[in-house]
Amino acid sequence: MITVHHLNDSRSQRILWLLEELGLPYEIVRYQRDAQTRLAPPELKAVHPLGKSPVLTDDGRTLIESGAIVDYLVRRHGGGRMAPGADTPAYDEYQQWLHYAEGSAMLPLMLHLYVSRLGEAGAPLKPRIDSEIANHLGYVDGVLAGRPWLLGEQFSAADIQMSFVGEAAGAYGKRTAYPQLDAWVRRFQARPAYRAALARGGPYRFATTS
């Protein structure tokens, strides 16, 4: 049985969504953030030494990192769904999105989150962070012009992996300037599998279209 070690308000919500899109049976082990620090509880370290979420266990394997988990589920359990064929040019673009989400796009958004907590001490960094956020969100917005999904007409696991970028941008008040990106978030949040994952996963503060 596939088990998702799921932390509230975290990237692990993407994994629940992918499993719902694939129609796979799975179990959830829930963890709650500390109300003051917003960090994961120490119990997650018993599953993996980093103590981060998502963690997926399946058939004796323990996997971390959203992109690796998405790739694993699609390859092992997808049956040809949720990704282009490996011998097509679209597959290379698909793989790019899987890596880009956390490798590049999320970094300035996370810097925005942490530096904003410094108050005036973080002010010198703000212009550079804002510039990088605009760079990445503008790039994604441009790609989505004239197409419903990142790969065009085909909804794929690339959209799921990239979803947290769009949702985090909205949570930090950065999305409304990018209409294509905003419309994409609204489209994927309306998908039945997305809503089913919310019902199973519990409260998720990024699930808003505003």
Coordinates of all heavy atoms in Angstrom, one line a residue, residues 6-92:
H6 N 2.0 13.0 5.5 CA 1.4 14.2 5.0 C 1.4 15.3 6.1 O 0.9 15.1 7.2 CB 0.0 14.0 4.6 CG -0.8 15.2 4.2 ND1 -0.4 16.2 3.3 CD2 -2.0 15.7 4.7 CE1 -1.3 17.1 3.2 NE2 -2.3 16.9 4.1
L7 N 2.1 16.4 5.9 CA 2.2 17.5 6.8 C 1.2 18.6 6.3 O 1.1 18.9 5.1 CB 3.6 18.1 6.8 CG 3.9 19.3 7.7 CD1 3.8 18.9 9.1 CD2 5.3 19.9 7.4
N8 N 0.4 19.1 7.3 CA -0.6 20.1 6.9 C 0.1 21.3 6.3 O 1.2 21.7 6.6 CB -1.4 20.5 8.1 CG -0.6 21.2 9.2 OD1 0.4 20.7 9.7 ND2 -1.0 22.4 9.5
D9 N -0.6 22.0 5.4 CA -0.1 23.2 4.7 C 1.2 23.0 4.1 O 2.2 23.8 4.3 CB -0.1 24.4 5.7 CG -1.5 24.9 6.0 OD1 -2.4 24.7 5.1 OD2 -1.7 25.6 7.0
S10 N 1.4 21.9 3.4 CA 2.7 21.6 2.8 C 2.6 21.1 1.4 O 1.6 20.8 0.9 CB 3.5 20.6 3.7 OG 3.1 19.3 3.4
R11 N 3.8 20.9 0.8 CA 3.9 20.4 -0.6 C 3.4 19.0 -0.7 O 3.1 18.5 -1.8 CB 5.4 20.4 -1.0 CG 6.0 21.8 -1.2 CD 7.5 21.7 -1.1 NE 8.2 22.9 -1.6 CZ 8.5 23.9 -0.8 NH1 8.1 23.9 0.5 NH2 9.2 24.9 -1.2
S12 N 3.2 18.3 0.4 CA 2.7 16.9 0.3 C 1.3 16.9 -0.2 O 0.8 15.8 -0.7 CB 2.8 16.2 1.7 OG 2.1 16.9 2.7
Q13 N 0.6 18.0 -0.2 CA -0.8 18.0 -0.7 C -0.7 17.7 -2.2 O -1.7 17.1 -2.8 CB -1.4 19.4 -0.5 CG -2.9 19.5 -1.0 CD -3.8 18.7 -0.1 OE1 -3.6 18.6 1.1 NE2 -4.8 18.1 -0.8
R14 N 0.3 18.1 -2.9 CA 0.5 17.7 -4.3 C 0.5 16.2 -4.6 O 0.0 15.8 -5.6 CB 1.8 18.3 -4.9 CG 1.9 19.8 -5.0 CD 3.2 20.2 -5.6 NE 4.3 20.0 -4.8 CZ 5.5 20.6 -5.0 NH1 5.7 21.4 -5.9 NH2 6.5 20.3 -4.2
I15 N 1.1 15.5 -3.6 CA 1.2 14.1 -3.8 C -0.2 13.4 -3.7 O -0.6 12.5 -4.4 CB 2.2 13.5 -2.8 CG1 3.5 14.2 -2.9 CG2 2.3 12.0 -3.1 CD1 4.1 14.2 -4.3
L16 N -1.0 13.9 -2.7 CA -2.4 13.4 -2.6 C -3.1 13.7 -3.8 O -3.9 12.8 -4.3 CB -3.0 14.1 -1.4 CG -2.4 14.0 0.0 CD1 -3.3 14.6 1.1 CD2 -2.0 12.6 0.4
W17 N -3.0 14.8 -4.4 CA -3.7 15.2 -5.6 C -3.3 14.3 -6.8 O -4.1 13.8 -7.5 CB -3.4 16.7 -5.9 CG -4.0 17.2 -7.2 CD1 -5.0 16.7 -7.9 CD2 -3.5 18.3 -8.0 NE1 -5.3 17.4 -9.1 CE2 -4.4 18.4 -9.1 CE3 -2.5 19.3 -7.7 CZ2 -4.2 19.4 -10.0 CZ3 -2.4 20.3 -8.7 CH2 -3.2 20.4 -9.8
L18 N -2.0 14.0 -6.9 CA -1.6 13.1 -8.0 C -2.2 11.7 -7.8 O -2.6 11.1 -8.8 CB 0.0 13.0 -8.0 CG 0.6 12.0 -9.0 CD1 0.1 12.3 -10.5 CD2 2.1 12.0 -8.9
L19 N -2.2 11.2 -6.6 CA -2.7 9.9 -6.4 C -4.2 9.9 -6.7 O -4.7 8.9 -7.2 CB -2.5 9.5 -4.9 CG -1.1 9.2 -4.6 CD1 -0.8 9.2 -3.1 CD2 -0.7 7.8 -5.1
E20 N -4.9 11.0 -6.4 CA -6.3 11.1 -6.8 C -6.5 11.1 -8.3 O -7.4 10.5 -8.8 CB -7.0 12.3 -6.1 CG -7.1 12.2 -4.6 CD -8.1 11.2 -4.1 OE1 -9.0 10.8 -4.9 OE2 -8.0 10.8 -3.0
E21 N -5.7 11.8 -9.0 CA -5.7 11.9 -10.4 C -5.5 10.5 -11.0 O -6.1 10.1 -12.0 CB -4.7 12.9 -11.0 CG -5.0 14.3 -10.7 CD -6.1 15.0 -11.6 OE1 -6.6 14.3 -12.5 OE2 -6.4 16.2 -11.4
L22 N -4.6 9.7 -10.4 CA -4.3 8.4 -10.9 C -5.3 7.3 -10.5 O -5.3 6.2 -10.9 CB -2.9 8.0 -10.5 CG -1.7 8.8 -11.1 CD1 -0.4 8.4 -10.5 CD2 -1.6 8.5 -12.6
G23 N -6.1 7.7 -9.5 CA -7.1 6.7 -9.0 C -6.5 5.6 -8.2 O -7.0 4.5 -8.2
L24 N -5.3 5.9 -7.5 CA -4.6 4.8 -6.8 C -5.1 4.8 -5.3 O -5.3 5.8 -4.7 CB -3.1 5.1 -6.9 CG -2.5 5.0 -8.3 CD1 -1.0 5.4 -8.2 CD2 -2.6 3.6 -8.9
P25 N -5.2 3.6 -4.8 CA -5.4 3.5 -3.3 C -4.2 4.0 -2.5 O -3.1 3.7 -2.9 CB -5.7 2.1 -3.1 CG -5.0 1.3 -4.2 CD -5.0 2.3 -5.4
Y26 N -4.4 4.7 -1.4 CA -3.3 5.1 -0.6 C -3.8 5.4 0.8 O -5.0 5.6 1.1 CB -2.6 6.4 -1.2 CG -3.5 7.6 -1.2 CD1 -3.5 8.6 -0.2 CD2 -4.4 7.8 -2.3 CE1 -4.3 9.7 -0.3 CE2 -5.2 8.9 -2.4 CZ -5.1 9.9 -1.4 OH -5.9 11.0 -1.4
E27 N -2.8 5.4 1.7 CA -3.1 5.7 3.1 C -2.4 7.0 3.5 O -1.3 7.4 2.8 CB -2.6 4.6 4.0 CG -3.4 3.3 3.9 CD -2.8 2.2 4.8 OE1 -1.7 2.4 5.3 OE2 -3.5 1.2 4.9
I28 N -2.9 7.7 4.4 CA -2.3 9.0 4.9 C -1.9 8.8 6.3 O -2.7 8.4 7.2 CB -3.2 10.2 4.7 CG1 -3.7 10.4 3.3 CG2 -2.6 11.5 5.3 CD1 -4.7 11.4 3.1
V29 N -0.6 9.2 6.7 CA -0.2 9.4 8.0 C -0.1 10.9 8.2 O 0.7 11.5 7.5 CB 1.1 8.7 8.3 CG1 1.5 8.9 9.8 CG2 0.9 7.2 8.1
R30 N -0.8 11.5 9.2 CA -0.9 12.9 9.3 C 0.1 13.4 10.4 O 0.3 12.8 11.4 CB -2.3 13.3 9.7 CG -3.3 12.9 8.7 CD -4.7 13.2 9.1 NE -5.7 12.6 8.3 CZ -6.1 13.1 7.1 NH1 -5.6 14.2 6.7 NH2 -7.0 12.4 6.4
Y31 N 0.6 14.6 10.0 CA 1.5 15.3 11.0 C 1.1 16.8 11.0 O 0.7 17.3 9.9 CB 3.0 15.2 10.5 CG 3.5 13.8 10.4 CD1 3.2 13.1 9.2 CD2 4.2 13.2 11.4 CE1 3.7 11.8 9.1 CE2 4.6 11.9 11.3 CZ 4.4 11.2 10.1 OH 4.8 9.9 10.0
Q32 N 1.2 17.4 12.1 CA 0.8 18.8 12.3 C 2.0 19.7 12.6 O 2.8 19.3 13.4 CB -0.2 19.0 13.4 CG -1.6 18.4 13.1 CD -2.4 19.1 12.0 OE1 -2.7 18.5 11.0 NE2 -2.5 20.4 12.2
R33 N 2.0 20.8 11.9 CA 3.1 21.8 12.2 C 2.9 22.4 13.6 O 1.8 22.5 14.2 CB 3.0 23.0 11.2 CG 3.2 22.6 9.8 CD 3.2 23.9 8.9 NE 3.4 23.6 7.5 CZ 4.6 23.5 6.9 NH1 5.7 23.6 7.7 NH2 4.7 23.2 5.7
D34 N 4.1 22.7 14.2 CA 4.1 23.4 15.5 C 3.4 24.8 15.3 O 3.7 25.5 14.4 CB 5.5 23.6 16.0 CG 5.6 24.3 17.3 OD1 5.5 25.5 17.4 OD2 5.7 23.5 18.3
A35 N 2.5 25.1 16.2 CA 1.7 26.3 16.0 C 2.5 27.6 16.1 O 2.2 28.6 15.4 CB 0.6 26.4 17.1
Q36 N 3.6 27.5 16.8 CA 4.5 28.7 16.9 C 5.5 28.8 15.9 O 5.7 29.8 15.2 CB 5.1 28.8 18.3 CG 4.3 29.4 19.4 CD 3.1 28.5 19.8 OE1 3.3 27.3 20.0 NE2 1.9 29.0 19.9
T37 N 6.3 27.7 15.7 CA 7.4 27.7 14.7 C 7.0 27.4 13.3 O 7.7 27.7 12.4 CB 8.5 26.7 15.2 OG1 8.0 25.4 15.1 CG2 8.9 26.9 16.6
R38 N 5.9 26.7 13.1 CA 5.4 26.3 11.8 C 6.3 25.2 11.3 O 6.2 24.9 10.1 CB 5.3 27.4 10.8 CG 4.3 28.5 11.2 CD 2.8 28.0 11.2 NE 2.4 27.6 9.9 CZ 1.3 26.8 9.7 NH1 0.6 26.4 10.7 NH2 0.9 26.5 8.5
L39 N 7.1 24.6 12.1 CA 8.0 23.5 11.6 C 7.3 22.2 11.8 O 6.3 22.0 12.5 CB 9.3 23.5 12.4 CG 10.2 24.7 12.3 CD1 11.4 24.6 13.2 CD2 10.6 24.9 10.8
A40 N 7.8 21.2 11.1 CA 7.2 19.8 11.2 C 7.6 19.2 12.5 O 8.6 19.6 13.1 CB 7.8 18.9 10.0
P41 N 6.7 18.3 13.0 CA 7.0 17.7 14.3 C 8.2 16.7 14.2 O 8.5 16.2 13.2 CB 5.7 17.0 14.6 CG 5.1 16.6 13.3 CD 5.5 17.8 12.4
P42 N 8.8 16.5 15.4 CA 10.0 15.5 15.3 C 9.6 14.1 14.9 O 10.5 13.4 14.5 CB 10.5 15.6 16.8 CG 9.3 16.1 17.6 CD 8.6 17.1 16.7
E43 N 8.3 13.8 15.0 CA 7.9 12.4 14.6 C 8.3 12.1 13.2 O 8.5 10.9 12.8 CB 6.4 12.2 14.9 CG 6.0 12.1 16.3 CD 5.9 13.5 17.0 OE1 6.0 14.5 16.3 OE2 5.6 13.6 18.2
L44 N 8.3 13.1 12.3 CA 8.7 12.8 10.9 C 10.1 12.3 10.8 O 10.4 11.6 9.8 CB 8.5 14.1 10.1 CG 7.2 14.2 9.2 CD1 7.1 15.5 8.6 CD2 7.2 13.1 8.2
K45 N 11.0 12.6 11.7 CA 12.3 12.1 11.6 C 12.4 10.6 11.8 O 13.4 10.0 11.4 CB 13.2 12.8 12.7 CG 13.6 14.2 12.3 CD 14.6 14.8 13.3 CE 15.0 16.2 12.9 NZ 15.9 16.2 11.7
A46 N 11.4 10.0 12.4 CA 11.4 8.6 12.5 C 11.1 7.9 11.2 O 11.4 6.7 11.0 CB 10.3 8.1 13.5
V47 N 10.5 8.7 10.2 CA 10.3 8.1 8.9 C 11.4 8.4 8.0 O 11.8 7.5 7.2 CB 9.0 8.8 8.3 CG1 8.6 8.2 7.0 CG2 7.8 8.7 9.3
H48 N 12.0 9.6 8.1 CA 13.2 9.9 7.3 C 14.0 10.9 8.1 O 13.5 11.8 8.7 CB 12.8 10.6 5.9 CG 14.0 10.8 5.0 ND1 14.8 11.9 5.1 CD2 14.5 10.0 4.0 CE1 15.8 11.8 4.2 NE2 15.6 10.6 3.5
P49 N 15.4 10.8 8.1 CA 16.2 11.6 9.0 C 16.0 13.1 8.8 O 16.3 13.9 9.7 CB 17.6 11.2 8.6 CG 17.5 9.8 8.1 CD 16.2 9.8 7.4
L50 N 15.6 13.6 7.6 CA 15.5 15.0 7.4 C 14.2 15.6 8.1 O 14.2 16.8 8.3 CB 15.4 15.4 5.9 CG 16.7 15.2 5.1 CD1 16.4 15.5 3.6 CD2 17.7 16.2 5.6
G51 N 13.3 14.7 8.4 CA 12.1 15.2 9.0 C 11.2 16.2 8.2 O 10.6 17.1 8.8
K52 N 11.2 16.0 6.9 CA 10.5 16.9 6.0 C 9.4 16.1 5.4 O 9.3 14.9 5.3 CB 11.4 17.5 4.9 CG 12.7 18.2 5.4 CD 12.3 19.5 6.1 CE 13.6 20.3 6.5 NZ 13.3 21.5 7.1
S53 N 8.4 16.9 4.8 CA 7.3 16.3 4.1 C 7.3 16.9 2.7 O 7.6 18.1 2.5 CB 6.0 16.5 4.8 OG 4.9 16.0 4.1
P54 N 6.9 16.1 1.6 CA 6.3 14.8 1.7 C 7.4 13.7 1.8 O 8.5 13.8 1.4 CB 5.6 14.6 0.4 CG 6.5 15.5 -0.6 CD 6.9 16.6 0.3
V55 N 6.9 12.6 2.4 CA 7.6 11.3 2.4 C 6.6 10.3 1.9 O 5.5 10.3 2.4 CB 8.2 10.9 3.8 CG1 8.9 9.6 3.7 CG2 9.1 12.0 4.4
L56 N 7.1 9.4 1.0 CA 6.2 8.4 0.5 C 6.9 7.0 0.8 O 8.1 6.9 0.5 CB 6.0 8.6 -1.0 CG 5.0 7.6 -1.7 CD1 4.0 8.3 -2.6 CD2 5.8 6.5 -2.5
T57 N 6.1 6.1 1.2 CA 6.6 4.7 1.4 C 5.7 3.8 0.5 O 4.5 4.0 0.5 CB 6.5 4.2 2.9 OG1 5.2 4.4 3.4 CG2 7.5 5.1 3.7
D58 N 6.4 2.9 -0.2 CA 5.7 2.0 -1.1 C 6.6 0.8 -1.4 O 7.7 0.9 -1.8 CB 5.4 2.7 -2.4 CG 4.7 1.8 -3.4 OD1 3.8 1.0 -3.0 OD2 5.0 2.0 -4.6
D59 N 6.1 -0.4 -1.1 CA 6.8 -1.6 -1.5 C 8.2 -1.6 -0.9 O 9.1 -2.0 -1.6 CB 6.8 -1.8 -3.0 CG 7.2 -3.2 -3.4 OD1 7.0 -4.1 -2.7 OD2 7.8 -3.3 -4.5
G60 N 8.3 -1.2 0.4 CA 9.6 -1.3 1.0 C 10.5 -0.1 0.7 O 11.6 0.0 1.3
R61 N 10.1 0.8 -0.1 CA 10.9 2.0 -0.5 C 10.4 3.2 0.3 O 9.2 3.4 0.6 CB 10.7 2.3 -2.0 CG 11.2 1.2 -2.9 CD 10.9 1.7 -4.4 NE 11.4 0.7 -5.3 CZ 10.6 -0.3 -5.8 NH1 9.4 -0.4 -5.4 NH2 11.1 -1.1 -6.7
T62 N 11.3 4.1 0.7 CA 11.0 5.4 1.3 C 11.6 6.4 0.4 O 12.8 6.4 0.1 CB 11.6 5.5 2.7 OG1 11.1 4.4 3.5 CG2 11.3 6.8 3.3
L63 N 10.7 7.3 -0.1 CA 11.2 8.4 -1.0 C 10.8 9.7 -0.5 O 9.8 9.9 0.2 CB 10.5 8.2 -2.4 CG 10.8 7.0 -3.2 CD1 9.8 5.9 -3.0 CD2 10.9 7.4 -4.7
I64 N 11.8 10.7 -0.7 CA 11.5 12.1 -0.4 C 11.7 12.9 -1.6 O 12.0 12.4 -2.7 CB 12.6 12.6 0.7 CG1 14.0 12.5 0.1 CG2 12.4 11.8 2.0 CD1 15.0 13.3 1.0
E65 N 11.4 14.2 -1.5 CA 11.4 15.2 -2.6 C 10.2 15.0 -3.6 O 10.1 14.0 -4.2 CB 12.7 15.1 -3.4 CG 14.0 15.6 -2.7 CD 13.9 17.1 -2.3 OE1 13.3 17.8 -3.1 OE2 14.4 17.4 -1.3
S66 N 9.5 16.1 -3.6 CA 8.2 16.1 -4.4 C 8.5 15.6 -5.9 O 7.7 14.8 -6.4 CB 7.6 17.5 -4.4 OG 7.2 17.8 -3.1
G67 N 9.5 16.2 -6.5 CA 9.7 15.8 -7.9 C 10.0 14.4 -8.1 O 9.5 13.7 -9.0
A68 N 10.8 13.8 -7.2 CA 11.2 12.4 -7.3 C 10.0 11.5 -7.0 O 9.8 10.5 -7.7 CB 12.3 12.1 -6.3
I69 N 9.2 11.9 -6.1 CA 8.0 11.2 -5.8 C 7.0 11.2 -6.9 O 6.4 10.2 -7.3 CB 7.3 11.7 -4.5 CG1 8.2 11.4 -3.3 CG2 5.9 11.1 -4.2 CD1 7.8 12.1 -2.0
V70 N 6.8 12.4 -7.5 CA 5.9 12.5 -8.7 C 6.4 11.6 -9.8 O 5.6 10.9 -10.4 CB 5.8 14.0 -9.1 CG1 5.2 14.1 -10.5 CG2 5.0 14.8 -8.1
D71 N 7.7 11.7 -10.1 CA 8.3 10.9 -11.2 C 8.1 9.4 -10.9 O 7.7 8.6 -11.7 CB 9.7 11.2 -11.3 CG 10.4 10.4 -12.4 OD1 10.0 10.6 -13.6 OD2 11.3 9.6 -12.2
Y72 N 8.3 9.0 -9.6 CA 8.2 7.6 -9.2 C 6.7 7.1 -9.4 O 6.5 6.0 -10.0 CB 8.6 7.4 -7.8 CG 8.3 6.1 -7.2 CD1 9.1 5.0 -7.3 CD2 7.1 5.9 -6.5 CE1 8.8 3.7 -6.8 CE2 6.8 4.6 -5.9 CZ 7.6 3.6 -6.1 OH 7.3 2.3 -5.6
L73 N 5.8 7.9 -8.9 CA 4.4 7.4 -9.0 C 3.9 7.3 -10.5 O 3.2 6.4 -10.9 CB 3.5 8.4 -8.3 CG 3.6 8.3 -6.7 CD1 2.8 9.4 -6.1 CD2 3.1 7.0 -6.2
V74 N 4.3 8.3 -11.3 CA 3.9 8.2 -12.7 C 4.6 7.1 -13.4 O 3.9 6.3 -14.2 CB 4.2 9.6 -13.4 CG1 4.0 9.5 -14.9 CG2 3.4 10.7 -12.8
R75 N 5.9 6.8 -13.2 CA 6.5 5.7 -13.8 C 6.1 4.4 -13.4 O 5.9 3.4 -14.1 CB 8.1 5.8 -13.6 CG 8.8 6.9 -14.5 CD 10.3 6.8 -14.3 NE 10.7 7.1 -13.0 CZ 11.1 6.2 -12.1 NH1 11.2 4.9 -12.4 NH2 11.6 6.6 -10.9
R76 N 5.9 4.2 -12.1 CA 5.6 2.9 -11.5 C 4.2 2.6 -11.5 O 3.8 1.4 -11.6 CB 6.1 2.9 -10.0 CG 7.6 3.0 -9.9 CD 8.3 1.7 -10.1 NE 9.8 1.8 -9.9 CZ 10.6 0.8 -9.7 NH1 10.1 -0.4 -9.8 NH2 11.9 1.0 -9.6
H77 N 3.3 3.6 -11.4 CA 1.9 3.3 -11.2 C 1.0 4.1 -12.2 O -0.2 3.9 -12.1 CB 1.5 3.7 -9.8 CG 2.2 3.0 -8.7 ND1 1.9 1.6 -8.4 CD2 3.1 3.3 -7.8 CE1 2.7 1.2 -7.4 NE2 3.4 2.3 -7.0
G78 N 1.6 4.8 -13.1 CA 0.8 5.7 -13.9 C 0.2 5.0 -15.1 O -0.8 5.4 -15.7
G79 N 0.8 3.9 -15.5 CA 0.2 3.2 -16.7 C 0.1 4.0 -17.9 O -0.8 3.9 -18.7
G80 N 1.1 4.9 -18.1 CA 1.1 5.8 -19.3 C 0.3 7.1 -19.2 O 0.3 7.9 -20.1
R81 N -0.2 7.3 -18.0 CA -1.0 8.5 -17.7 C -0.2 9.6 -17.1 O 0.8 9.3 -16.5 CB -2.2 8.2 -16.8 CG -3.2 7.2 -17.4 CD -4.2 6.7 -16.3 NE -3.6 5.9 -15.3 CZ -4.1 5.6 -14.2 NH1 -5.3 6.1 -13.8 NH2 -3.4 4.9 -13.3
M82 N -0.6 10.8 -17.2 CA 0.0 12.0 -16.5 C 1.4 12.4 -17.0 O 2.0 13.2 -16.4 CB 0.0 11.7 -15.0 CG -1.4 11.5 -14.4 SD -2.5 12.9 -14.7 CE -1.7 14.1 -13.6
A83 N 1.9 11.8 -18.1 CA 3.2 12.2 -18.6 C 3.2 11.9 -20.1 O 2.6 10.9 -20.5 CB 4.3 11.6 -17.9
P84 N 3.9 12.7 -20.9 CA 4.1 12.3 -22.3 C 4.9 11.1 -22.4 O 5.6 10.7 -21.5 CB 4.8 13.5 -22.9 CG 4.7 14.6 -21.9 CD 4.6 13.9 -20.6
G85 N 4.9 10.5 -23.6 CA 5.8 9.3 -23.9 C 7.3 9.7 -23.8 O 7.6 10.8 -24.2
A86 N 8.1 8.8 -23.2 CA 9.5 9.1 -23.0 C 10.3 9.4 -24.3 O 11.4 10.0 -24.2 CB 10.1 8.0 -22.2
D87 N 9.7 9.0 -25.4 CA 10.5 9.2 -26.7 C 10.0 10.4 -27.4 O 10.3 10.6 -28.6 CB 10.3 7.9 -27.5 CG 8.8 7.6 -27.8 OD1 7.9 8.2 -27.2 OD2 8.6 6.8 -28.7
T88 N 9.2 11.3 -26.7 CA 8.7 12.5 -27.4 C 9.4 13.7 -26.9 O 9.9 13.8 -25.8 CB 7.2 12.6 -27.2 OG1 7.0 12.9 -25.8 CG2 6.4 11.4 -27.5
P89 N 9.5 14.8 -27.7 CA 10.0 16.1 -27.3 C 9.3 16.6 -26.0 O 9.9 17.3 -25.2 CB 9.9 17.0 -28.5 CG 9.8 16.1 -29.6 CD 9.1 14.8 -29.2
A90 N 8.0 16.4 -26.0 CA 7.2 16.9 -24.8 C 7.7 16.3 -23.5 O 7.5 17.0 -22.5 CB 5.7 16.6 -25.0
Y91 N 8.3 15.1 -23.5 CA 8.7 14.5 -22.3 C 9.9 15.3 -21.7 O 10.0 15.4 -20.5 CB 9.2 13.1 -22.6 CG 9.6 12.3 -21.3 CD1 8.6 11.8 -20.4 CD2 10.9 12.1 -21.0 CE1 9.0 11.2 -19.3 CE2 11.3 11.5 -19.8 CZ 10.3 11.0 -19.0 OH 10.7 10.3 -17.8
D92 N 10.8 15.8 -22.6 CA 11.9 16.6 -22.1 C 11.4 17.9 -21.4 O 11.9 18.3 -20.4 CB 12.8 17.0 -23.3 CG 13.4 15.7 -23.9 OD1 13.7 14.8 -23.2 OD2 13.6 15.7 -25.1

